[in-house]
Amino acid sequence: MDYQNVIEQVMSTTAPHVGEGAVADYIPGLANVDPKQFGFAVATTHGEVHTAGDVDVPFAIESISKVFALALVLARKDTALWRRVRREPSGTPFNDLIELEVEMGIPRNPYINPGAIVVADQLLQDTGDAVEAMRSLLRAETGNPVLSVDSVIAESELRSGDRNRAMAYLMASFGNMRNPVELALDHYFRQCSFSITCAELAKAGLLIARHGLRADGTRLLAREDARHITALMTTCGTYDAAGEFAYEVGLPVKSGVGGGLLAVVPGTCAVAAWGPGLDSKGNSVTGRIALNAFAQATGFSVF
């Protein structure tokens, strides 16, 4: 595959749309991000990295961190997690309270906010430090030894996180939190605040594209668990736009309100797109256009 030619096609298709959408201004630290930025990166399982655009500009990983948090929990063969969170698409916004109340504090899936809070809570219980567990993983997989939490974004998450608190306390009222709520939320907010570049995100995504093999060749995840993660990315990774992404892109994708999108072609490559402007569902406008163009140019699909 001539990835550089593919990326040129992607950039040409995406360029007229750069700057479209709205940044996630409900998180103060993201409100001032320049929306007229875009980066695209492909990391292959053979060790190649192809990039274009603003691929070295750090951004907040936000909800894409949920993929790696889930991987860390599943790596411990902690099947008890699936008694605390389901594996179904939500069909509602990622921070919906009504569905959580109706379903007695059991989130629909691990990629919406309440489900990710449960995963962070479980990872904290399993490791004693969920943030350090993710920091170590991301540093190793990206090759960046200083990759860290952005303290400004973390503080913004903390100050603007009342709805997440409401969900966590609601789950606690149903007995679905293991740690003190504020402690679990502190780890969750900081988990979402790691600063990562587009190129680094593509390299980190290879953990899933390689079916659970780490950058050093050791196995973190059973192949079956990596398959489960990609299945959930396909059905739940872009919130209530997952059906449209499956229809248009045909690849497992996880989005974050920092503007990042991570897609996986199992056994072949991981693809990262970053454009800060979001659509009404919380997904990057330019990232969605770029992934659609990538799928069209390569013919890659899991379907």
Side-chain angles (χ1 to χ4, degrees):
M1 178 67 67
D2 184 350
Y3 286 106
Q4 207 55 49
N5 181 58
V6 168
I7 288 178
E8 289 175 7
Q9 294 180 54
V10 168
M11 297 300 287
S12 176
T13 301
T14 307
H17 303 279
V18 171
E20 292 182 5
V23 296
D25 56 5
Y26 58 88
I27 299 174
L30 299 180
N32 296 321
V33 176
D34 180 4
K36 295 180 179 179
Q37 300 179 90
F38 178 74
F40 193 81
V42 179
T44 76
T45 54
H46 297 298
E48 302 170 1
V49 180
H50 305 273
T51 65
D54 300 307
V55 292
D56 295 320
V57 179
F59 61 91
I61 193 171
E62 293 294 340
S63 287
I64 303 173
S65 65
K66 298 170 183 177
V67 171
F68 302 103
L70 181 60
L72 286 165
V73 171
L74 294 183
R76 303 177 70 87
K77 297 298 179 185
D78 200 342
T79 57
L81 175 71
W82 300 124
R83 294 195 290 272
R84 303 182 59 198
V85 58
R86 297 190 177 98
R87 301 185 289 258
E88 294 293 333
S90 65
T92 59
F94 56 79
N95 57 1
D96 185 66
L97 280 159
I98 297 174
E99 185 174 74
L100 192 61
E101 169 75 23
V102 169
E103 301 194 351
M104 301 181 69
I106 306 295
R108 277 288 182 95
N109 66 71
Y111 293 155
I112 55 175
N113 285 19
I117 291 169
V118 167
V119 174
D121 180 55
Q122 186 67 52
L123 184 58
L124 176 58
Q125 183 180 49
D126 289 346
T127 66
D129 192 335
V131 175
E132 179 54 36
M134 185 170 295
R135 180 187 289 114
S136 296
L137 178 68
L138 290 177
R139 285 181 174 182
E141 299 312 303
T142 62
N144 179 357
V146 296
L147 187 148
S148 295
V149 170
D150 184 323
S151 60
V152 173
I153 298 297
E155 177 62 24
S156 290
E157 294 275 0
L158 183 67
R159 287 188 286 114
S160 62
D162 287 344
R163 195 170 185 92
N164 286 318
R165 287 189 184 85
M167 290 185 288
Y169 278 107
L170 178 59
M171 290 189 294
S173 76
F174 284 105
N176 198 19
M177 293 291 289
R178 302 291 179 263
N179 297 281
V181 166
E182 292 299 330
L183 178 61
L185 283 172
D186 174 64
H187 282 260
Y188 171 71
F189 289 141
R190 287 190 288 145
Q191 165 189 303
C192 292
S193 303
F194 277 97
S195 184
I196 197 166
T197 70
C198 199
E200 290 168 346
L201 181 59
K203 287 189 281 187
L206 286 174
L207 172 66
I208 310 303
R210 289 190 297 255
H211 309 293
L213 288 179
R214 300 189 61 164
D216 64 4
T218 61
R219 181 166 291 281
L220 177 71
L221 287 166
R223 189 182 182 99
E224 181 181 40
D225 287 330
R227 178 174 63 82
H228 292 158
I229 287 172
T230 57
L232 288 167
M233 289 172 72
T234 305
T235 58
C236 311
T238 49
Y239 313 120
D240 49 335
E244 288 297 321
F245 268 84
Y247 182 87
E248 293 178 4
V249 178
L251 293 171
V253 180
K254 184 69 196 83
S255 64
V257 297
L261 287 169
L262 173 64
V264 172
V265 184
T268 303
C269 64
V271 184
W274 175 58
L278 309 178
D279 61 22
S280 62
K281 302 293 179 64
N283 300 307
S284 170
V285 172
T286 47
R288 180 172 177 171
I289 292 168
L291 289 182
N292 189 15
F294 175 81
Q296 293 292 325
T298 60
F300 289 153
S301 173
V302 298
F303 301 109

